[in-house]
Every structure is written in C-alpha cells, then in structure tokens.
C-alpha cells in the first residue's frame, strides 16, 4: 500500500475510533447516572461527591490497604538495602535478611497458618533434593504440587481443629489474609525451583556467548531476564535459605510478577542494573498517574457494579456490549496497577521481575499476543515449565488444552473458569490454523499484500470478539449465561450491534497494524 493511501487510511480509522470512544463514554455516563441507585458495591467517593465503584473485592482491598502497604514497603526496603551496604552482604546473607523480613510480613498476613506454608515448602525441598536424580522426578514434582493446589482449595486452608482439639485454638490466629490464596503463587515457585535444580543436575547447555551477541541488552554489559533465567547456576546456590527466601520474598509474595528461581537467585548476589534510579522514579510516577485514571474511571463509570449486580440482563444488546467492554478495561487497569506496584517494590530492593502488562489490552488483535501481554510473567512461566516440556510448537493444538485447564484450576475451582479455559482453547484452534496458512502464503504483488492485510484484519476482528465472549463467560456471566448472551444478540435489535462490533474491531485491528508498523520503522 502506498504511503499516501496509508496516511489517509490512518486518518479515517482514527476518526472512527475517536467517534467510537465518544459514544462509549457518553453512553457509559448515562447508564451510570440512570441505574446507580440499583447497583451494589458503590461507596461515597472523593471526586465531586460522586459515588465510587468499589464492588470488586480485590481492588477494594488493595486500594484500602495501599497507605499501610506503602509504609511497610519503604521500611522493609530501607532496612534490607542498609544492611546490605553496611555489612557487604552477598547471596547467602541477603537471602537470610529477606527471609526474616518476609516471614515477619507473612506472620501478619497469615498468623499461625504460616506453619502450613513452611511445612509444605520444606517437604517440597526434600522431594527435590532426593528425587531430582531420577527420570520420574518431574512426575513427582508436578503431582505433589498440584495435589496441594487442589487440596488447599477443597479444604479452605485446613482448619487447625481437624488435627486435634489441642490445636483448635490456633484457628483464632489465622491472620488477615487467606494463606491458600497466596499459596497459588508459591506453588509456581516450588515447581520453578524443582525444575531449575533438575536441569542444573544434568548436562544442560545454554550458549551464553551466542545469546549475548544477539541480545542488545546483554551486549551492552547488562543481563536480560532471559539470560538470568537460562544461565546454569552452581548447585550450591540451590540452598534451603535461598529457596525459602525465593518462595516468600515479600515484594512479590502476594501477587507476583512471577520470576524463575534462576533469575531470582542470580540477582541476590548481583542486584539488577537494567533499571536506573531515574527510570524507577519515572516508572513510579506513571503508576501514580494510572492510579488517578482508575479513580476517575470508578467514580464515573460503574462497569463492575453492573456485572456484580446482574443488572446487565435487563439492558439492550448495545448496553451489554458497552458494559462488557468496560469490565474488560477495568480488569486490565486493576491488574496493571496491582502488578506494577509490587514490581516497583521489587525493583527498589534490587530484584527485577518481568513486566506483567507490557502492552494495553486495546492493542492486541490475536490470542497469542494477548496472552503474551496479559499476566506476561505467568505466560513466561507456562512456556518454560509446561509448553516446552510438553513438546512445544510440535504439539501446540494439544498443549493449549492442558495448559489452559491448568491455568483455570490454578485460579480457582469454578466451572465458569473451566468454561473460560476451554472456550479460549476452541478459539485458539482456528487462529493457529489461519496463522499457519498465512505464514505459508507468499505475497507476490501489491494486490496480494492488500488481500493479505484485509484477511488479517478480519481475522483480528473475529479473534477480539471471541476473546470478549470467553472473558465475559469466565469473569462475568458464567457458563449459564452463554445461552442468554447468544439469544440476546441474535434477536432483531442484536444484529446491528453485532455488525457494529465487528466493524469496530476491524477498524481497531487496522489501527494496530499502523501502530506496529510505525514502531518497527522507529
């Protein structure tokens, strides 16, 4: 496509997108104003005396505890960094310091339930050290961790009285936060430790020199996350103190981002140098601005309250689309703020973790790129510890079912999450097939390039629609709402909305093409 035509296309697409967001904002304001009396979860706000949507428990708890959490973050980080400088502590010393600090943190969060965490973690450490030399070790590792992942949920964190009356009094000291919710992340870390130790005990070879030549970060004298993760560590670094420090490391304990054991242990001795003090300050300022954006959003648009209250069932198809689209953007911004907060804390302590939300939800037009940019550290974990061991791209159509089923069970034991996982897998299959065909297709002239681009845009519009449906089923309406959703949009007033959705997502996909091409040229 000629550059002049591209400029005109970009201008028209931008005008459409601007008009689309004007309609969405105006209609959202009207919906919130008309129905706020019937919505649950609204609280008195601070912006022009408006009500604030605090219907999401996770966001409400994080927002409410933010002042205390920030004070704790500052004190813990200052103590650890001061001791490191004064005592010239290395890996073992820093692991003990952070382990002590983190156990104090966990004692406040979980009270006596810290016993369960330490007990399960210790048994896992023994299993790794004893069975890592055997061929069936990975089966033992996964069986042990998945068993506890499920049992923790089924038995709701094991009340102490089931172990005998003499222990029942400990149920009065279970802390302020359910330990088995946080333990989901500990399970990922225990598997990471076991797998990295298993590889360290074998003749695993990573061509470090070749990687440094190709990587612009590593070639500049720094170390990228991939190098830290893949570089083989000495066996002595897999000590109990470093292992326990890794599992309960305070900045990343509650919500991540998820970091591999290799990458974590490497940075205990040599703190990260990729992010300077100035860059960290800018990172923190951007977070504060994003928090203000969230406050504006929850004061004026009550998307999540609509989904919690079930009021969306009484709305028109257009209004259902607006609420659904708004809920997904609310969820993205919520996780963006939570994950970046804890990553910032970890950076100030000298440990760089992967960015969980490197790209906006509105800048992804296929499932693969979406999952690489939504909880990206979990995606890296899944690729390293599940996807590649299961056969990688050679068995991709089978692997997605196993991996997404695990992801659903890891989140919670709910049918709507299983439905979300399997719907995502169903939508993944045509994308994999289409991508394979597109990669095999050779563009020979300008017309062929035009056709190829249009087909990609149509495919992107279909994928975004499928992604919205899967996430609405998983996080809003549940599997029982699928029939209602389909019947509602297949009625007479639903067809124009479906058409408008498809055109909007088609326009959005083509805009993303322009953005990606501009970045590539830059």
């Amino acid at each position: 496509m000629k550059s002049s035509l591209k400029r005109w296309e970009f201008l028209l697409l931008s005008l459409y997108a601007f008009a689309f967001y004007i309609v969405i904002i105006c209609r959202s304001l009207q919906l919130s104003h008309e129905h706020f009396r019937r919505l649950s979860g609204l609280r008195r706000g601070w912006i022009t005396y408006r009500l604030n949507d605090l219907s999401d428990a996770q966001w409400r708890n994080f927002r409410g505890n933010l002042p205390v959490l920030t004070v704790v973050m500052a004190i813990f980080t200052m103590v650890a960094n001061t001791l490191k400088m004064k005592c010239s502590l290395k890996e073992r010393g820093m692991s003990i310091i952070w382990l002590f600090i983190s156990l104090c943190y966990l004692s406040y969060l979980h009270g006596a339930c810290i016993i369960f965490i330490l007990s399960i973690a210790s048994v896992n450490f023994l299993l790794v050290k004893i069975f890592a030399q055997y061929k069936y070790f990975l089966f033992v590792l996964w069986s042990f961790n998945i068993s506890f992942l499920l049992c923790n949920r089924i038995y709701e964190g094991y009340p102490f009285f089931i172990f005998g009356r003499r222990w029942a009094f400990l149920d009065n000291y279970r802390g302020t936060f359910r330990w088995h919710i946080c333990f989901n992340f500990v399970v990922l870390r225990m598997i990471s430790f076991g797998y990295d130790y298993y590889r360290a005990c074998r003749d695993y070879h990573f061509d470090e020199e070749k990687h440094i030549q190709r990587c612009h970060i590593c070639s500049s004298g720094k170390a990228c996350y991939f190098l830290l993760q893949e570089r083989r560590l000495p066996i002595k670094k897999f000590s109990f103190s470093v292992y326990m420090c890794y599992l309960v490391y305070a900045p990343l304990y509650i919500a991540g981002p998820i970091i591999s054991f290799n990458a974590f242990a490497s940075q205990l001795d040599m703190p990260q140098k990729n992010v300077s003090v100035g860059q960290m300050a800018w990172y923190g300022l951007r977070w504060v601005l994003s928090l203000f954006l969230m406050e504006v959003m929850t004061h004026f648009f009550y998307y999540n309250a609509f989904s919690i209250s079930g009021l969306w069932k009484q709305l028109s198809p257009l209004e259902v689309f607006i609420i659904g689209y708004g809920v997904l953007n609310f969820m993205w911004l919520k996780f963006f703020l939570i994950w970046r907060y804890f990553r910032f804390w970890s950076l100030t302590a000298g440990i760089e973790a992967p960015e969980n939300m490197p790209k906006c939800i509105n800048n992804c037009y296929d499932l693969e790129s979406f999952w690489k940019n939504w909880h990206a550290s979990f995606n890296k974990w899944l690729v390293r510890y599940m996807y590649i061991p299961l056969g990688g791209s050679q068995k991709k159509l089978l692997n997605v079912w196993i991996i997404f089923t695990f992801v659903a069970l890891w989140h919670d034991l709910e049918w709507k999450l299983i439905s979300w996982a399997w719907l995502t897998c169903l939508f993944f299959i045509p994308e994999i097939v289409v991508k394979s065909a597109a990669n095999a297709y050779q563009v020979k002239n300008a017309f062929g390039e035009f056709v190829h681009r249009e087909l990609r845009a149509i495919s992107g519009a279909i994928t975004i629609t499928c992604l919205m449906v899967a996430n609405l089923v998983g996080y809003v309406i549940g599997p029982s709402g699928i029939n209602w959703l389909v019947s509602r949009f297949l009625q007479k007033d639903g067809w124009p909305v479906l058409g408008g959705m498809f055109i909007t997502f088609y326009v959005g996909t083509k805009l993303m093409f322009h953005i990606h091409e501009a970045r590539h040229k830059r």
Side-chain angles (χ1 to χ4, degrees):
M1 187 183 291
K2 293 181 180 180
S3 58
S4 59
L5 288 175
K6 277 192 174 183
R7 282 196 295 269
W8 277 106
E9 182 187 62
F10 178 73
L11 178 62
L12 293 173
L13 294 173
S14 300
L15 288 172
Y16 182 94
F18 180 77
F20 167 77
Y21 279 109
I22 290 295
V23 171
I24 292 290
I25 290 170
C26 292
R27 195 71 189 96
S28 297
L29 287 169
Q30 186 180 350
L31 282 169
S32 298
H33 177 72
E34 290 176 353
H35 300 284
F36 75 92
R37 291 185 180 85
R38 303 165 62 191
L39 298 175
S40 58
L42 303 183
R43 302 287 188 273
R44 186 181 298 277
W46 60 272
I47 299 179
T48 64
Y49 301 101
R50 291 184 63 88
L51 294 174
N52 190 8
D53 183 358
L54 296 176
S55 57
D56 184 89
Q58 190 178 34
W59 173 247
R60 183 172 64 249
N61 291 333
F62 174 75
R63 181 180 180 272
N65 290 312
L66 198 54
V68 175
L69 197 58
T70 303
V71 172
V72 170
M73 177 187 81
I75 293 173
F76 281 5
T77 306
M78 184 174 63
V79 169
N81 290 344
T82 302
L83 288 173
K84 179 180 174 61
M85 288 188 295
K86 294 286 186 182
C87 305
S88 300
L89 297 175
K90 297 295 182 181
E91 179 190 272
R92 182 174 176 79
M94 284 309 298
S95 67
I96 293 172
I97 293 297
W98 269 113
L99 178 58
F100 176 76
I101 289 173
S102 300
L103 288 177
C104 293
Y105 183 55
L106 265 66
S107 298
Y108 169 75
L109 289 177
H110 307 314
C113 293
I114 195 174
I115 296 170
F116 296 125
I117 298 170
L118 297 178
S119 300
I120 298 170
S122 299
V123 173
N124 183 75
F125 181 81
L126 290 174
L127 287 175
V128 170
K129 290 292 185 176
I130 294 169
F131 292 101
Q133 305 296 333
Y134 297 97
K135 293 181 178 179
Y136 52 81
F137 165 70
L138 292 179
F139 174 77
V140 173
L141 179 70
W142 277 94
S143 299
F144 176 81
N145 281 280
I146 289 179
S147 297
F148 273 103
L149 182 69
L150 298 178
C151 289
N152 292 348
R153 288 288 186 169
I154 293 170
Y155 295 103
E156 290 292 326
Y158 315 108
F160 280 99
F161 70 80
I162 66 173
F163 300 104
R165 291 184 178 180
R166 68 173 66 180
W167 305 107
F169 75 97
L170 291 175
D171 284 320
N172 298 320
Y173 306 97
R174 297 186 70 91
T176 59
F177 206 87
R178 292 177 295 171
W179 75 272
H180 56 284
I181 303 298
C182 294
F183 199 78
N184 286 14
F185 287 96
V186 177
V187 165
L188 300 183
R189 296 180 193 119
M190 291 197 300
I191 293 173
S192 174
F193 172 80
Y195 191 86
D196 287 355
Y197 181 74
Y198 174 76
R199 294 179 73 173
C201 292
R202 280 158 174 74
D203 295 327
Y204 169 71
H205 176 68
F206 171 64
D207 195 336
E208 190 172 328
E209 291 184 4
K210 187 176 181 180
H211 169 78
I212 291 173
Q213 291 173 358
R214 293 181 175 182
C215 177
H216 69 279
I217 296 175
C218 298
S219 59
S220 66
K222 300 176 182 178
C224 72
Y225 180 79
F226 184 78
L227 177 64
L228 295 174
Q229 176 178 267
E230 296 300 324
R231 188 163 52 189
R232 186 176 180 179
L233 289 180
I235 296 297
K236 66 178 182 179
K237 286 186 178 285
F238 292 84
S239 64
F240 185 71
S241 61
V242 176
Y243 164 73
M244 289 301 302
C245 174
Y246 168 61
L247 295 190
V248 299
Y249 177 60
L252 303 179
Y253 174 74
I254 290 180
I258 302 157
I259 184 173
S260 70
F261 177 81
N262 277 1
F264 178 84
S266 299
Q267 295 179 86
L268 270 179
D269 214 12
M270 295 290 292
Q272 68 86 23
K273 297 179 181 178
N274 295 337
V275 184
S276 66
V277 175
Q279 288 172 324
M280 271 192 276
W282 174 237
Y283 190 84
L285 178 60
R286 287 176 62 194
W287 185 88
V288 172
L289 295 174
S290 300
L291 177 63
F292 179 71
L293 175 63
M294 181 62 146
E295 288 295 297
V296 171
M297 182 178 181
T298 54
H299 275 80
F300 287 89
F301 310 118
Y302 305 145
Y303 297 126
N304 198 70
F306 273 99
S307 67
I308 294 295
S309 304
L311 199 62
W312 45 269
K313 292 182 178 180
Q314 304 171 25
L315 302 178
S316 68
L318 175 61
E319 293 166 341
V320 170
F321 164 71
I322 291 172
I323 297 301
Y325 182 72
V327 167
L328 293 181
N329 279 272
F330 165 79
M331 287 173 58
W332 180 84
L333 189 54
K334 175 186 77 171
F335 289 123
F336 173 92
L337 287 165
I338 293 173
W339 285 327
R340 287 208 170 187
Y341 180 87
F342 289 113
R343 182 173 184 263
F344 176 75
W345 181 4
S346 184
L347 283 171
T348 59
I351 303 290
E352 181 186 10
E355 184 67 82
N356 259 343
M357 294 291 201
K359 189 184 291 186
C360 179
I361 187 176
N362 295 305
N363 195 19
C364 298
Y365 58 86
D366 60 30
L367 289 171
E368 190 171 350
S369 67
F370 175 82
W371 288 115
K372 284 182 179 179
N373 293 285
W374 179 289
H375 208 167
S377 67
F378 195 15
N379 179 269
K380 292 178 187 292
W381 187 96
L382 291 168
V383 169
R384 177 173 169 79
Y385 300 110
M386 289 191 74
Y387 182 70
I388 293 175
L390 286 170
S393 57
Q394 294 179 350
K395 299 179 180 178
K396 196 170 187 177
L397 289 173
L398 174 63
N399 289 345
V400 292
W401 292 91
I402 300 172
I403 290 170
F404 274 96
T405 301
F406 169 77
V407 170
L409 293 174
W410 179 82
H411 277 89
D412 208 344
L413 297 177
E414 291 186 15
W415 274 113
K416 68 178 185 179
L417 289 173
I418 297 292
S419 303
W420 160 82
W422 291 347
L423 273 175
T424 303
C425 293
L426 281 174
F427 298 148
F428 240 126
I429 293 171
E431 179 176 301
I432 292 170
V433 174
V434 169
K435 273 192 173 182
S436 299
N439 292 334
Y441 177 73
Q442 298 293 325
V443 177
K444 297 180 180 179
N445 51 43
F447 178 74
E449 182 185 349
F450 170 78
V451 171
H452 186 246
R453 188 182 178 89
E454 291 302 307
L455 289 175
R456 284 175 60 213
I458 292 170
S459 174
I462 295 171
T463 299
I464 295 170
T465 305
C466 293
L467 194 61
M468 273 199 66
V469 171
N471 282 285
L472 284 174
V473 170
Y475 296 101
V476 181
I477 64 176
S480 60
I482 296 176
N483 291 334
W484 176 89
L485 188 68
V486 172
S487 62
R488 193 72 185 89
F489 276 89
L490 291 182
Q491 292 177 3
K492 186 177 180 180
D493 58 342
W495 284 107
V497 177
L498 280 175
M501 282 172 55
F502 183 82
I503 292 171
T504 300
F505 294 149
Y506 167 83
V507 169
T509 304
K510 298 203 80 174
L511 266 176
M512 290 179 226
F513 290 167
H514 284 276
I515 294 169
H516 294 172
E517 288 166 5
R519 285 180 177 172
H520 182 70
K521 287 179 181 178
R522 195 185 310 154

